[in-house]
Amino acid sequence: MDMAKGLLRGLAGAAVVSATLLALAGCQDDDGKTGANGAKDGRNPVIAPGKPGERARTLSPEQAARERPDDTPNAADQTYVRGMIEHHRQALTMSALAPDRASAEAVKGLAERIAAAQKPEIGAMERWLARYPAPGGAGGSGSTGGSGGTGGMGGHDHGAMPGMATEQQLKELADARGTDFDRLFLKLMTAHHEGALKMASQALAGGNNVAVEEMATEVVATQTAEIHRMRALG
């Protein structure tokens, strides 16, 4: 499962929890009366599933609303998504160089897989930003530039993001051919992925949104596997 699918599942995560707490009605007797723990005003009680080994609880609609998890995005979530869009864009730029410059088919295949995965992931993250715009409209994806050029390097803060290649490194990669390109591509992309893991770890530690947690978890899984693959190729 790619991260775009993980994001869609994550965006639905809060809704699933809400549906569990707010939409699942408890059983009623034929005469419309509720059970001992149900609502006494004729409204259906809400069944809240318990943790493994615990019994479900019966809540009033008001109690269910109060206990619904709040996954409102915080600053860590916003920083992660905005930064990872820019991070992915540079990976697309680096990968786009491989077909005409790499000598090893394995390197070409790796670059193709990275591009095929990360392009839709960018779209998914941009949809997340549209749903959860930053307070005051700051930091939207429109300020990060497109995926062309030298990796969307027009922003002012991506230098602080771990793993990002410098302008000079990107130029060296674009000028390289054959085995020199293969070696430099694997070096830069491995560092790039390692930086993404750091960013994901920060989001998992400080974020609050279910969808962002899904995205970060997917990055950890997929890019860790790709790091192992690149080290084996190198």
Side-chain angles (χ1 to χ4, degrees):
M1 179 188 65
D2 60 27
M3 193 176 73
K5 292 180 180 178
L7 172 59
L8 294 176
R9 188 183 64 207
L11 288 174
V16 171
V17 174
S18 299
T20 300
L21 292 175
L22 297 177
L24 240 165
C27 297
Q28 290 184 312
D29 297 332
D30 292 338
D31 60 2
K33 295 180 180 179
T34 62
N37 293 325
K40 301 186 183 202
D41 56 2
R43 293 177 298 167
N44 287 334
V46 178
I47 307 302
K51 296 179 182 179
E54 296 182 356
R55 298 181 61 183
R57 294 180 300 145
T58 304
L59 308 174
S60 69
E62 292 78 13
Q63 288 174 312
R66 287 195 298 270
E67 295 194 16
R68 181 174 53 190
D70 178 11
D71 74 335
T72 302
N74 61 15
D77 295 317
Q78 291 283 345
T79 296
Y80 176 77
V81 176
R82 295 197 308 272
M84 192 56 73
I85 287 173
E86 192 69 19
H87 211 265
H88 272 23
R89 282 175 173 156
Q90 188 180 85
L92 293 185
T93 295
M94 294 166 65
S95 297
L97 299 173
D100 296 330
R101 293 168 173 80
S103 63
E105 290 301 319
V107 172
K108 293 181 181 180
L110 174 67
E112 183 179 0
R113 286 192 295 273
I114 290 172
Q118 296 197 15
K119 186 174 181 179
E121 290 169 7
I122 288 172
M125 289 185 286
E126 288 176 335
R127 289 191 292 275
W128 185 93
L129 283 178
R131 179 172 179 174
Y132 300 110
S141 60
S143 65
T144 58
S147 59
T150 54
M153 299 290 284
H156 66 280
D157 63 346
H158 58 266
M161 288 190 291
M164 290 287 279
T166 65
E167 291 280 6
Q168 181 60 33
Q169 288 172 325
L170 290 173
K171 183 179 183 304
E172 291 173 359
L173 184 65
D175 291 341
R177 296 291 188 279
T179 57
D180 288 340
F181 177 89
D182 295 346
R183 184 165 47 249
L184 186 55
F185 177 84
L186 293 173
K187 176 183 176 181
L188 295 179
M189 192 62 79
T190 297
H192 201 266
H193 276 32
E194 289 172 342
L197 296 187
K198 292 180 181 179
M199 294 168 66
S201 296
Q202 291 169 353
L204 290 170
N208 188 60
N209 183 254
V210 171
V212 173
E213 180 181 353
E214 290 278 354
M215 285 190 282
T217 299
E218 188 71 19
V219 162
V220 170
T222 59
Q223 298 206 20
T224 295
E226 288 177 347
I227 285 171
H228 291 319
R229 190 174 299 118
M230 288 188 287
R231 286 176 176 166
L233 290 174

